[in-house]
Amino acid sequence: MLSSNIKGVSNGFPLKIEVEKVVEKQVEINHDFLRNIFQKIDWKAFFDASKVMGFAELPEQAPDPSVLESDLEFLRKFHHALLELHLEEGALVCPETGRKFPVNKGIPNMLLHEDEV
Amino acid sequence: MSSRPELQAPPEIFYDDTEARKYTSSSRIAAIQTELSERALELLALPDDGVPRLLLDIGCGSGLSGETITESGHQWIGLDISHSMLNVALENEVEGDLLLGDMGQGLALRPGVIDGAISISAVQWLCNADKSSHEPRLRLKAFFGSLYRCLARGARAVLQVYPENLAQRELILSYAMRSGFAGGVVVDYPHSTKKRKEYLVLTCGPPSLSTAVPSGKVEDGESCSDDESSGDEENQVICISDRHRPRKKQKINKKGKGREWVLRKKQQMRRKGNVVPPDTKYTARKRKARF
Ligand SMILES: C[S@@+](CC[C@H](N)C(=O)[O-])C[C@H]1O[C@@H](n2cnc3c(N)ncnc32)[C@H](O)[C@@H]1O
């Protein structure tokens, strides 16, 4: 679910995360996928998101893409934060307006009220 | 299909718990949706390099189309407006990340992050005004604009749609073109009322080799080559690679939209609360060449 947290934007990015419950799921690691998505990640947002979800083992500064080839340990952590941590209950908060998008059963509710469209 | 679900209720109401379950447990529906999804993925023409991509499934429902994405080895984010459909997706433990949202309000995704998008049997819903605040044109614009932005340059979107009529198809296509997409419509089995299926194949970014629209499937024995009776308006591929073309086409059509179209437009305006003259036998009657 983290990928949608990272990418979910309403009229501001990144959305802040309010955590009530995080679940972990095991996902098979795939290097090609990680390599492809790495370049699209906003590292700061990703780092912060992982931290609030209770995973603080990522480097604060965006690492050089070459670590994807050389550092298996990093790859494992990146994979874990990206694909195995899921925000089950909580909210995503728009940094600009403070508007909260509730997350229930792992599904963020991004529906806008009529006056927000 | 007795009547179009689109005409019965807004999607989030139509696809309630009962309908979501009925929809997902029907093996007939599952077979059709799977076939449509497989074809959409084929038209998406992702590079055949074994790299799993991040795809978007718009109107993912209970995940029938998403399962096809998973089977082809890609990751996906699914968006749907129906809570009940997404709940069934959760029950079925689909692999995709689910979002509750309305495509007509625009997709809340960061620019350039999606490698490809599919949508199976969903986008035609945008042509309805289900609430007084709904303006189909604005919703189509918000949808295609945000879709264009969230796709990586050169990425494709393949949208299988059931437009109610020619006007709806034109409307959808024209908003896609206005948002900057190149592409056109691929029609599979154009001569069969039952099997006929339409796919909008859109490419993000400047036209290139990859924006050429592939050709549609035809029934065995039917030929799709040049010797096919031409002049028939049911082409397999309506290719519009230049985004000014639909507008020109619209102008030509202006004269002959017909009574049905006018009546529908008037009904639409009435629904919006506008004052509209009553329908009479004179409505949209052809004028004499000189009067
Ligand atoms: C016929 S179902 C197809 C579901 C799925 N793609 C499949 O192949 O089984 C159409 C779906 O589109 C969704 N839908 C309709 N309008 C929508 C909108 N404005 N935003 C998001 N989803 C919408 C409906 O809730 C429904 O789940």
PDB file of all heavy atoms in Angstrom, chain B residues 236-266:
ATOM      1  N   GLN B 236     -12.173  -1.256 -38.770  1.00  0.00           N
ATOM      2  CA  GLN B 236     -11.625  -1.899 -37.579  1.00  0.00           C
ATOM      3  C   GLN B 236     -10.891  -0.869 -36.739  1.00  0.00           C
ATOM      4  O   GLN B 236     -10.938  -0.881 -35.546  1.00  0.00           O
ATOM      5  CB  GLN B 236     -10.637  -3.010 -37.968  1.00  0.00           C
ATOM      6  CG  GLN B 236     -11.296  -4.333 -38.224  1.00  0.00           C
ATOM      7  CD  GLN B 236     -11.862  -4.381 -39.608  1.00  0.00           C
ATOM      8  OE1 GLN B 236     -11.266  -3.878 -40.530  1.00  0.00           O
ATOM      9  NE2 GLN B 236     -13.032  -4.967 -39.745  1.00  0.00           N
ATOM     10  N   VAL B 237     -10.213   0.021 -37.414  1.00  0.00           N
ATOM     11  CA  VAL B 237      -9.408   0.972 -36.677  1.00  0.00           C
ATOM     12  C   VAL B 237      -9.759   2.377 -37.109  1.00  0.00           C
ATOM     13  O   VAL B 237      -9.736   2.697 -38.282  1.00  0.00           O
ATOM     14  CB  VAL B 237      -7.917   0.753 -36.952  1.00  0.00           C
ATOM     15  CG1 VAL B 237      -7.101   1.712 -36.117  1.00  0.00           C
ATOM     16  CG2 VAL B 237      -7.536  -0.673 -36.646  1.00  0.00           C
ATOM     17  N   ILE B 238     -10.128   3.152 -36.162  1.00  0.00           N
ATOM     18  CA  ILE B 238     -10.349   4.547 -36.480  1.00  0.00           C
ATOM     19  C   ILE B 238      -9.123   5.257 -35.980  1.00  0.00           C
ATOM     20  O   ILE B 238      -8.926   5.400 -34.782  1.00  0.00           O
ATOM     21  CB  ILE B 238     -11.600   5.059 -35.779  1.00  0.00           C
ATOM     22  CG1 ILE B 238     -12.783   4.235 -36.276  1.00  0.00           C
ATOM     23  CG2 ILE B 238     -11.818   6.532 -36.039  1.00  0.00           C
ATOM     24  CD1 ILE B 238     -13.742   3.897 -35.229  1.00  0.00           C
ATOM     25  N   CYS B 239      -8.275   5.612 -36.878  1.00  0.00           N
ATOM     26  CA  CYS B 239      -6.971   6.071 -36.468  1.00  0.00           C
ATOM     27  C   CYS B 239      -6.919   7.579 -36.450  1.00  0.00           C
ATOM     28  O   CYS B 239      -7.142   8.227 -37.462  1.00  0.00           O
ATOM     29  CB  CYS B 239      -5.909   5.527 -37.411  1.00  0.00           C
ATOM     30  SG  CYS B 239      -4.278   5.806 -36.782  1.00  0.00           S
ATOM     31  N   ILE B 240      -6.671   8.107 -35.290  1.00  0.00           N
ATOM     32  CA  ILE B 240      -6.529   9.548 -35.213  1.00  0.00           C
ATOM     33  C   ILE B 240      -5.230   9.828 -34.515  1.00  0.00           C
ATOM     34  O   ILE B 240      -5.115   9.680 -33.308  1.00  0.00           O
ATOM     35  CB  ILE B 240      -7.701  10.165 -34.452  1.00  0.00           C
ATOM     36  CG1 ILE B 240      -8.977   9.924 -35.249  1.00  0.00           C
ATOM     37  CG2 ILE B 240      -7.478  11.646 -34.264  1.00  0.00           C
ATOM     38  CD1 ILE B 240     -10.208  10.092 -34.451  1.00  0.00           C
ATOM     39  N   SER B 241      -4.232  10.160 -35.304  1.00  0.00           N
ATOM     40  CA  SER B 241      -2.940  10.331 -34.661  1.00  0.00           C
ATOM     41  C   SER B 241      -2.644  11.815 -34.491  1.00  0.00           C
ATOM     42  O   SER B 241      -1.710  12.195 -33.819  1.00  0.00           O
ATOM     43  CB  SER B 241      -1.855   9.660 -35.488  1.00  0.00           C
ATOM     44  OG  SER B 241      -2.026  10.009 -36.832  1.00  0.00           O
ATOM     45  N   ASP B 242      -3.489  12.623 -35.075  1.00  0.00           N
ATOM     46  CA  ASP B 242      -3.251  14.046 -35.017  1.00  0.00           C
ATOM     47  C   ASP B 242      -4.402  14.629 -34.223  1.00  0.00           C
ATOM     48  O   ASP B 242      -5.566  14.385 -34.501  1.00  0.00           O
ATOM     49  CB  ASP B 242      -3.252  14.559 -36.463  1.00  0.00           C
ATOM     50  CG  ASP B 242      -3.440  16.045 -36.551  1.00  0.00           C
ATOM     51  OD1 ASP B 242      -3.577  16.699 -35.501  1.00  0.00           O
ATOM     52  OD2 ASP B 242      -3.470  16.549 -37.684  1.00  0.00           O
ATOM     53  N   ARG B 243      -4.085  15.407 -33.183  1.00  0.00           N
ATOM     54  CA  ARG B 243      -5.180  15.717 -32.290  1.00  0.00           C
ATOM     55  C   ARG B 243      -6.096  16.836 -32.766  1.00  0.00           C
ATOM     56  O   ARG B 243      -7.031  17.212 -32.109  1.00  0.00           O
ATOM     57  CB  ARG B 243      -4.693  15.950 -30.867  1.00  0.00           C
ATOM     58  CG  ARG B 243      -3.837  17.128 -30.615  1.00  0.00           C
ATOM     59  CD  ARG B 243      -3.235  16.889 -29.243  1.00  0.00           C
ATOM     60  NE  ARG B 243      -2.558  18.054 -28.737  1.00  0.00           N
ATOM     61  CZ  ARG B 243      -3.110  18.868 -27.859  1.00  0.00           C
ATOM     62  NH1 ARG B 243      -4.319  18.665 -27.434  1.00  0.00           N
ATOM     63  NH2 ARG B 243      -2.443  19.900 -27.421  1.00  0.00           N
ATOM     64  N   HIS B 244      -5.825  17.353 -33.952  1.00  0.00           N
ATOM     65  CA  HIS B 244      -6.777  18.343 -34.453  1.00  0.00           C
ATOM     66  C   HIS B 244      -7.874  17.706 -35.264  1.00  0.00           C
ATOM     67  O   HIS B 244      -8.866  18.323 -35.566  1.00  0.00           O
ATOM     68  CB  HIS B 244      -6.042  19.377 -35.309  1.00  0.00           C
ATOM     69  CG  HIS B 244      -5.066  20.129 -34.490  1.00  0.00           C
ATOM     70  ND1 HIS B 244      -5.447  20.908 -33.436  1.00  0.00           N
ATOM     71  CD2 HIS B 244      -3.722  20.173 -34.518  1.00  0.00           C
ATOM     72  CE1 HIS B 244      -4.372  21.421 -32.864  1.00  0.00           C
ATOM     73  NE2 HIS B 244      -3.307  20.978 -33.500  1.00  0.00           N
ATOM     74  N   ARG B 245      -7.655  16.479 -35.618  1.00  0.00           N
ATOM     75  CA  ARG B 245      -8.636  15.867 -36.498  1.00  0.00           C
ATOM     76  C   ARG B 245     -10.040  15.735 -35.940  1.00  0.00           C
ATOM     77  O   ARG B 245     -10.986  16.036 -36.632  1.00  0.00           O
ATOM     78  CB  ARG B 245      -8.126  14.526 -37.014  1.00  0.00           C
ATOM     79  CG  ARG B 245      -7.836  14.642 -38.489  1.00  0.00           C
ATOM     80  CD  ARG B 245      -7.335  13.381 -39.074  1.00  0.00           C
ATOM     81  NE  ARG B 245      -8.363  12.371 -39.182  1.00  0.00           N
ATOM     82  CZ  ARG B 245      -8.092  11.132 -39.565  1.00  0.00           C
ATOM     83  NH1 ARG B 245      -6.857  10.792 -39.829  1.00  0.00           N
ATOM     84  NH2 ARG B 245      -9.053  10.260 -39.681  1.00  0.00           N
ATOM     85  N   PRO B 246     -10.195  15.289 -34.691  1.00  0.00           N
ATOM     86  CA  PRO B 246     -11.559  15.117 -34.222  1.00  0.00           C
ATOM     87  C   PRO B 246     -12.373  16.393 -34.308  1.00  0.00           C
ATOM     88  O   PRO B 246     -13.556  16.352 -34.586  1.00  0.00           O
ATOM     89  CB  PRO B 246     -11.389  14.681 -32.771  1.00  0.00           C
ATOM     90  CG  PRO B 246      -9.956  14.675 -32.479  1.00  0.00           C
ATOM     91  CD  PRO B 246      -9.209  14.852 -33.738  1.00  0.00           C
ATOM     92  N   ARG B 247     -11.735  17.507 -34.123  1.00  0.00           N
ATOM     93  CA  ARG B 247     -12.491  18.756 -34.156  1.00  0.00           C
ATOM     94  C   ARG B 247     -13.003  19.044 -35.557  1.00  0.00           C
ATOM     95  O   ARG B 247     -14.134  19.436 -35.744  1.00  0.00           O
ATOM     96  CB  ARG B 247     -11.619  19.909 -33.658  1.00  0.00           C
ATOM     97  CG  ARG B 247     -12.144  20.418 -32.318  1.00  0.00           C
ATOM     98  CD  ARG B 247     -11.219  21.412 -31.723  1.00  0.00           C
ATOM     99  NE  ARG B 247     -10.423  20.781 -30.683  1.00  0.00           N
ATOM    100  CZ  ARG B 247      -9.337  21.340 -30.174  1.00  0.00           C
ATOM    101  NH1 ARG B 247      -8.911  22.495 -30.621  1.00  0.00           N
ATOM    102  NH2 ARG B 247      -8.683  20.736 -29.227  1.00  0.00           N
ATOM    103  N   LYS B 248     -12.148  18.802 -36.524  1.00  0.00           N
ATOM    104  CA  LYS B 248     -12.584  18.997 -37.904  1.00  0.00           C
ATOM    105  C   LYS B 248     -13.779  18.111 -38.192  1.00  0.00           C
ATOM    106  O   LYS B 248     -14.762  18.524 -38.743  1.00  0.00           O
ATOM    107  CB  LYS B 248     -11.436  18.620 -38.851  1.00  0.00           C
ATOM    108  CG  LYS B 248     -10.720  19.819 -39.447  1.00  0.00           C
ATOM    109  CD  LYS B 248      -9.839  19.361 -40.583  1.00  0.00           C
ATOM    110  CE  LYS B 248      -8.383  19.567 -40.225  1.00  0.00           C
ATOM    111  NZ  LYS B 248      -7.484  18.695 -40.968  1.00  0.00           N
ATOM    112  N   LYS B 249     -13.640  16.878 -37.732  1.00  0.00           N
ATOM    113  CA  LYS B 249     -14.678  15.898 -37.985  1.00  0.00           C
ATOM    114  C   LYS B 249     -15.999  16.360 -37.377  1.00  0.00           C
ATOM    115  O   LYS B 249     -17.051  16.250 -37.973  1.00  0.00           O
ATOM    116  CB  LYS B 249     -14.281  14.576 -37.345  1.00  0.00           C
ATOM    117  CG  LYS B 249     -14.573  13.385 -38.212  1.00  0.00           C
ATOM    118  CD  LYS B 249     -13.760  12.241 -37.742  1.00  0.00           C
ATOM    119  CE  LYS B 249     -14.432  10.948 -37.534  1.00  0.00           C
ATOM    120  NZ  LYS B 249     -13.645  10.039 -36.748  1.00  0.00           N
ATOM    121  N   GLN B 250     -15.892  16.930 -36.180  1.00  0.00           N
ATOM    122  CA  GLN B 250     -17.100  17.378 -35.517  1.00  0.00           C
ATOM    123  C   GLN B 250     -17.838  18.404 -36.349  1.00  0.00           C
ATOM    124  O   GLN B 250     -19.043  18.385 -36.457  1.00  0.00           O
ATOM    125  CB  GLN B 250     -16.729  18.018 -34.188  1.00  0.00           C
ATOM    126  CG  GLN B 250     -16.936  17.076 -33.030  1.00  0.00           C
ATOM    127  CD  GLN B 250     -16.416  17.684 -31.761  1.00  0.00           C
ATOM    128  OE1 GLN B 250     -16.076  18.863 -31.713  1.00  0.00           O
ATOM    129  NE2 GLN B 250     -16.356  16.875 -30.725  1.00  0.00           N
ATOM    130  N   LYS B 251     -17.072  19.300 -36.932  1.00  0.00           N
ATOM    131  CA  LYS B 251     -17.700  20.363 -37.713  1.00  0.00           C
ATOM    132  C   LYS B 251     -18.501  19.792 -38.875  1.00  0.00           C
ATOM    133  O   LYS B 251     -19.612  20.207 -39.124  1.00  0.00           O
ATOM    134  CB  LYS B 251     -16.626  21.325 -38.225  1.00  0.00           C
ATOM    135  CG  LYS B 251     -16.483  22.526 -37.310  1.00  0.00           C
ATOM    136  CD  LYS B 251     -15.625  23.581 -37.960  1.00  0.00           C
ATOM    137  CE  LYS B 251     -14.713  24.183 -36.919  1.00  0.00           C
ATOM    138  NZ  LYS B 251     -13.340  24.256 -37.326  1.00  0.00           N
ATOM    139  N   ILE B 252     -17.901  18.822 -39.529  1.00  0.00           N
ATOM    140  CA  ILE B 252     -18.593  18.224 -40.654  1.00  0.00           C
ATOM    141  C   ILE B 252     -19.898  17.587 -40.200  1.00  0.00           C
ATOM    142  O   ILE B 252     -20.916  17.680 -40.844  1.00  0.00           O
ATOM    143  CB  ILE B 252     -17.700  17.149 -41.326  1.00  0.00           C
ATOM    144  CG1 ILE B 252     -16.404  17.815 -41.785  1.00  0.00           C
ATOM    145  CG2 ILE B 252     -18.410  16.503 -42.496  1.00  0.00           C
ATOM    146  CD1 ILE B 252     -15.314  16.840 -42.140  1.00  0.00           C
ATOM    147  N   ASN B 253     -19.830  16.990 -39.014  1.00  0.00           N
ATOM    148  CA  ASN B 253     -21.016  16.306 -38.517  1.00  0.00           C
ATOM    149  C   ASN B 253     -22.131  17.255 -38.100  1.00  0.00           C
ATOM    150  O   ASN B 253     -23.263  16.848 -37.976  1.00  0.00           O
ATOM    151  CB  ASN B 253     -20.645  15.462 -37.299  1.00  0.00           C
ATOM    152  CG  ASN B 253     -19.879  14.228 -37.720  1.00  0.00           C
ATOM    153  OD1 ASN B 253     -19.891  13.892 -38.891  1.00  0.00           O
ATOM    154  ND2 ASN B 253     -19.228  13.584 -36.784  1.00  0.00           N
ATOM    155  N   LYS B 254     -21.768  18.484 -37.824  1.00  0.00           N
ATOM    156  CA  LYS B 254     -22.728  19.449 -37.259  1.00  0.00           C
ATOM    157  C   LYS B 254     -24.088  19.416 -37.920  1.00  0.00           C
ATOM    158  O   LYS B 254     -25.104  19.468 -37.267  1.00  0.00           O
ATOM    159  CB  LYS B 254     -22.153  20.867 -37.361  1.00  0.00           C
ATOM    160  CG  LYS B 254     -21.331  21.226 -36.142  1.00  0.00           C
ATOM    161  CD  LYS B 254     -22.013  22.277 -35.313  1.00  0.00           C
ATOM    162  CE  LYS B 254     -21.436  22.330 -33.911  1.00  0.00           C
ATOM    163  NZ  LYS B 254     -20.087  22.856 -33.876  1.00  0.00           N
ATOM    164  N   LYS B 255     -24.079  19.361 -39.229  1.00  0.00           N
ATOM    165  CA  LYS B 255     -25.341  19.442 -39.957  1.00  0.00           C
ATOM    166  C   LYS B 255     -26.274  18.297 -39.607  1.00  0.00           C
ATOM    167  O   LYS B 255     -27.460  18.485 -39.485  1.00  0.00           O
ATOM    168  CB  LYS B 255     -25.047  19.379 -41.463  1.00  0.00           C
ATOM    169  CG  LYS B 255     -24.735  20.728 -42.041  1.00  0.00           C
ATOM    170  CD  LYS B 255     -24.701  20.594 -43.556  1.00  0.00           C
ATOM    171  CE  LYS B 255     -23.505  21.348 -44.079  1.00  0.00           C
ATOM    172  NZ  LYS B 255     -22.788  20.652 -45.118  1.00  0.00           N
ATOM    173  N   GLY B 256     -25.709  17.142 -39.488  1.00  0.00           N
ATOM    174  CA  GLY B 256     -26.572  15.970 -39.465  1.00  0.00           C
ATOM    175  C   GLY B 256     -26.621  15.227 -38.150  1.00  0.00           C
ATOM    176  O   GLY B 256     -26.541  14.018 -38.144  1.00  0.00           O
ATOM    177  N   LYS B 257     -26.725  15.907 -37.045  1.00  0.00           N
ATOM    178  CA  LYS B 257     -26.739  15.162 -35.788  1.00  0.00           C
ATOM    179  C   LYS B 257     -28.059  14.449 -35.560  1.00  0.00           C
ATOM    180  O   LYS B 257     -28.136  13.476 -34.843  1.00  0.00           O
ATOM    181  CB  LYS B 257     -26.437  16.102 -34.636  1.00  0.00           C
ATOM    182  CG  LYS B 257     -24.957  16.463 -34.630  1.00  0.00           C
ATOM    183  CD  LYS B 257     -24.379  16.427 -33.263  1.00  0.00           C
ATOM    184  CE  LYS B 257     -22.875  16.385 -33.270  1.00  0.00           C
ATOM    185  NZ  LYS B 257     -22.257  17.606 -32.853  1.00  0.00           N
ATOM    186  N   GLY B 258     -29.140  14.960 -36.145  1.00  0.00           N
ATOM    187  CA  GLY B 258     -30.393  14.217 -36.113  1.00  0.00           C
ATOM    188  C   GLY B 258     -31.260  14.510 -34.907  1.00  0.00           C
ATOM    189  O   GLY B 258     -30.825  15.056 -33.910  1.00  0.00           O
ATOM    190  N   ARG B 259     -32.514  14.100 -35.036  1.00  0.00           N
ATOM    191  CA  ARG B 259     -33.527  14.396 -34.042  1.00  0.00           C
ATOM    192  C   ARG B 259     -33.220  13.738 -32.699  1.00  0.00           C
ATOM    193  O   ARG B 259     -33.346  14.356 -31.640  1.00  0.00           O
ATOM    194  CB  ARG B 259     -34.868  13.904 -34.578  1.00  0.00           C
ATOM    195  CG  ARG B 259     -36.031  14.132 -33.641  1.00  0.00           C
ATOM    196  CD  ARG B 259     -37.338  13.703 -34.288  1.00  0.00           C
ATOM    197  NE  ARG B 259     -38.356  13.443 -33.270  1.00  0.00           N
ATOM    198  CZ  ARG B 259     -39.152  14.385 -32.763  1.00  0.00           C
ATOM    199  NH1 ARG B 259     -39.061  15.616 -33.204  1.00  0.00           N
ATOM    200  NH2 ARG B 259     -40.038  14.094 -31.831  1.00  0.00           N
ATOM    201  N   GLU B 260     -32.775  12.490 -32.777  1.00  0.00           N
ATOM    202  CA  GLU B 260     -32.485  11.759 -31.555  1.00  0.00           C
ATOM    203  C   GLU B 260     -31.457  12.506 -30.704  1.00  0.00           C
ATOM    204  O   GLU B 260     -31.607  12.649 -29.497  1.00  0.00           O
ATOM    205  CB  GLU B 260     -31.909  10.404 -31.950  1.00  0.00           C
ATOM    206  CG  GLU B 260     -32.329   9.261 -31.076  1.00  0.00           C
ATOM    207  CD  GLU B 260     -31.654   7.999 -31.572  1.00  0.00           C
ATOM    208  OE1 GLU B 260     -32.031   7.515 -32.657  1.00  0.00           O
ATOM    209  OE2 GLU B 260     -30.725   7.551 -30.896  1.00  0.00           O
ATOM    210  N   TRP B 261     -30.449  13.008 -31.390  1.00  0.00           N
ATOM    211  CA  TRP B 261     -29.369  13.707 -30.698  1.00  0.00           C
ATOM    212  C   TRP B 261     -29.888  14.969 -30.025  1.00  0.00           C
ATOM    213  O   TRP B 261     -29.598  15.264 -28.874  1.00  0.00           O
ATOM    214  CB  TRP B 261     -28.270  14.041 -31.705  1.00  0.00           C
ATOM    215  CG  TRP B 261     -27.076  14.703 -31.086  1.00  0.00           C
ATOM    216  CD1 TRP B 261     -26.020  14.088 -30.510  1.00  0.00           C
ATOM    217  CD2 TRP B 261     -26.824  16.114 -30.987  1.00  0.00           C
ATOM    218  NE1 TRP B 261     -25.124  15.014 -30.055  1.00  0.00           N
ATOM    219  CE2 TRP B 261     -25.591  16.269 -30.337  1.00  0.00           C
ATOM    220  CE3 TRP B 261     -27.517  17.258 -31.389  1.00  0.00           C
ATOM    221  CZ2 TRP B 261     -25.042  17.513 -30.072  1.00  0.00           C
ATOM    222  CZ3 TRP B 261     -26.973  18.500 -31.123  1.00  0.00           C
ATOM    223  CH2 TRP B 261     -25.746  18.620 -30.483  1.00  0.00           C
ATOM    224  N   VAL B 262     -30.708  15.692 -30.764  1.00  0.00           N
ATOM    225  CA  VAL B 262     -31.246  16.942 -30.237  1.00  0.00           C
ATOM    226  C   VAL B 262     -32.136  16.665 -29.031  1.00  0.00           C
ATOM    227  O   VAL B 262     -32.034  17.327 -27.993  1.00  0.00           O
ATOM    228  CB  VAL B 262     -32.054  17.691 -31.337  1.00  0.00           C
ATOM    229  CG1 VAL B 262     -32.765  18.887 -30.730  1.00  0.00           C
ATOM    230  CG2 VAL B 262     -31.141  18.117 -32.458  1.00  0.00           C
ATOM    231  N   LEU B 263     -32.962  15.626 -29.147  1.00  0.00           N
ATOM    232  CA  LEU B 263     -33.853  15.290 -28.036  1.00  0.00           C
ATOM    233  C   LEU B 263     -33.043  14.925 -26.793  1.00  0.00           C
ATOM    234  O   LEU B 263     -33.372  15.336 -25.682  1.00  0.00           O
ATOM    235  CB  LEU B 263     -34.754  14.107 -28.427  1.00  0.00           C
ATOM    236  CG  LEU B 263     -35.844  14.436 -29.449  1.00  0.00           C
ATOM    237  CD1 LEU B 263     -36.665  13.198 -29.763  1.00  0.00           C
ATOM    238  CD2 LEU B 263     -36.756  15.553 -28.955  1.00  0.00           C
ATOM    239  N   ARG B 264     -31.981  14.186 -27.027  1.00  0.00           N
ATOM    240  CA  ARG B 264     -31.171  13.773 -25.884  1.00  0.00           C
ATOM    241  C   ARG B 264     -30.506  14.974 -25.229  1.00  0.00           C
ATOM    242  O   ARG B 264     -30.470  15.109 -24.016  1.00  0.00           O
ATOM    243  CB  ARG B 264     -30.129  12.746 -26.317  1.00  0.00           C
ATOM    244  CG  ARG B 264     -29.720  11.840 -25.169  1.00  0.00           C
ATOM    245  CD  ARG B 264     -28.744  10.775 -25.575  1.00  0.00           C
ATOM    246  NE  ARG B 264     -27.680  11.298 -26.397  1.00  0.00           N
ATOM    247  CZ  ARG B 264     -27.504  11.007 -27.665  1.00  0.00           C
ATOM    248  NH1 ARG B 264     -28.329  10.159 -28.258  1.00  0.00           N
ATOM    249  NH2 ARG B 264     -26.526  11.528 -28.350  1.00  0.00           N
ATOM    250  N   LYS B 265     -29.983  15.852 -26.082  1.00  0.00           N
ATOM    251  CA  LYS B 265     -29.327  17.070 -25.564  1.00  0.00           C
ATOM    252  C   LYS B 265     -30.316  17.898 -24.759  1.00  0.00           C
ATOM    253  O   LYS B 265     -29.996  18.426 -23.699  1.00  0.00           O
ATOM    254  CB  LYS B 265     -28.819  17.922 -26.738  1.00  0.00           C
ATOM    255  CG  LYS B 265     -27.474  17.505 -27.205  1.00  0.00           C
ATOM    256  CD  LYS B 265     -26.416  17.971 -26.229  1.00  0.00           C
ATOM    257  CE  LYS B 265     -25.179  17.193 -26.522  1.00  0.00           C
ATOM    258  NZ  LYS B 265     -24.307  16.867 -25.489  1.00  0.00           N
ATOM    259  N   LYS B 266     -31.533  17.993 -25.283  1.00  0.00           N
ATOM    260  CA  LYS B 266     -32.535  18.799 -24.586  1.00  0.00           C
ATOM    261  C   LYS B 266     -32.864  18.179 -23.232  1.00  0.00           C
ATOM    262  O   LYS B 266     -32.992  18.879 -22.232  1.00  0.00           O
ATOM    263  CB  LYS B 266     -33.796  18.921 -25.453  1.00  0.00           C
ATOM    264  CG  LYS B 266     -33.581  19.851 -26.659  1.00  0.00           C
ATOM    265  CD  LYS B 266     -34.752  19.854 -27.605  1.00  0.00           C
ATOM    266  CE  LYS B 266     -35.874  20.748 -27.134  1.00  0.00           C
ATOM    267  NZ  LYS B 266     -36.950  20.857 -28.168  1.00  0.00           N
TER     268      LYS B 266
END
